[in-house]
Amino acid sequence: EIVRTFDHKVLGNLQGGVELANLEVPRSHVFSTHIEVGTPGQELICLLDIGSADVWVPSKRCKDCQEEHLFSTDASKTFMPAVVQAATGIEAVPVRASFPDGDILGFLVQDTIAFAGADVAWKNQSFIIVEDEAILQKRHWDGLCGLGFRALSDAGTPLYKNMPPGERAIFSLIPNILGGHLTTYLSIGEMPHNSYE
């Protein structure tokens, strides 16, 4: 009999988890999820990235964005741009972020973000609204959800620093077999017990 226990001191430590021992994820594999941004929520597909801490979504005003889903600031009742006092008056905070595949240019903003299927929402979550991009085209995701630490952030407050009340800053990607196919789901706030039992 194999006994599977989770060591809470080490995130992701599945002791005796033999079914995970031979798990291989190819380099070309990416994890993405559906998110809703704004109030009411506008659905986008977000690439989950542990190598950054920024969240960015393409703006409806973006000229070069090829994504299927674009965020409309005018359609959200909770949208708020970040502004600074400049010599010429109040201005939006510009942000440029570089990635291995190219750059994005946009503005620092805040709005509500919710992950699909989650019962919680990040209110006043800062993110970059992209007005111009020069990155990988023909991708299956619209924006990026950085799950990394603050040191990996180009702008704003990382998701883990703005967790909804009562939630712990734990993001887990959990492999699972569903309908005979290997899949992965995102767990927020706690590692579900049924994922390691």
Side-chain angles (χ1 to χ4, degrees):
E1 177 182 337
I2 298 174
V3 178
R4 294 176 180 87
T5 60
F6 179 69
D7 180 357
H8 287 278
K9 295 179 215 140
V10 182
L11 180 63
N13 179 9
L14 294 172
Q15 296 178 352
V18 293
E19 70 274 14
L20 300 178
N22 295 321
L23 179 66
E24 292 182 24
V25 179
R27 285 190 75 155
S28 62
H29 189 79
V30 297
F31 294 107
S32 61
T33 190
H34 291 258
I35 62 170
E36 289 188 353
V37 181
T39 308
Q42 299 172 48
E43 188 174 305
L44 293 107
I45 299 172
C46 196
L47 173 70
L48 298 173
D49 183 15
I50 60 171
S52 71
D54 294 317
V55 175
W56 60 262
V57 298
S59 169
K60 183 179 176 182
R61 297 181 181 133
C62 183
K63 298 177 222 82
D64 296 322
C65 295
Q66 303 293 318
E67 294 77 21
E68 182 177 336
H69 307 102
L70 302 171
F71 179 64
S72 173
T73 59
D74 297 332
S76 176
K77 294 184 275 187
T78 49
F79 175 80
M80 176 79 65
V83 295
V84 293
Q85 181 66 44
T88 57
I90 295 177
E91 296 180 359
V93 177
V95 178
R96 178 186 198 98
S98 295
F99 298 92
D101 294 327
D103 298 336
I104 61 164
L105 183 62
F107 296 95
L108 184 60
V109 299
Q110 289 184 355
D111 210 332
T112 300
I113 295 179
F115 286 87
D119 295 331
V120 298
W122 280 255
K123 296 184 187 294
N124 300 318
Q125 177 60 47
S126 57
F127 62 94
I128 303 165
I129 186 156
V130 177
E131 298 283 331
D132 194 15
E133 68 177 26
I135 59 171
L136 179 69
Q137 298 295 317
K138 296 184 181 177
R139 55 186 189 260
H140 79 280
W141 45 272
D142 305 308
L144 182 129
C145 291
L147 303 178
F149 293 107
R150 182 183 287 286
L152 300 172
S153 176
D154 286 309
T157 303
L159 287 165
Y160 80 93
K161 285 289 198 179
N162 190 31
M163 292 297 291
E167 293 294 328
R168 296 172 62 195
I170 298 174
F171 299 98
S172 306
L173 293 170
I174 302 168
N176 192 12
I177 296 180
L178 188 63
H181 294 35
L182 180 63
T183 187
T184 303
Y185 63 93
L186 173 67
S187 174
I188 300 169
E190 188 68 40
M191 183 89 157
H193 295 293
N194 64 352
S195 67
Y196 56 88
E197 291 178 342

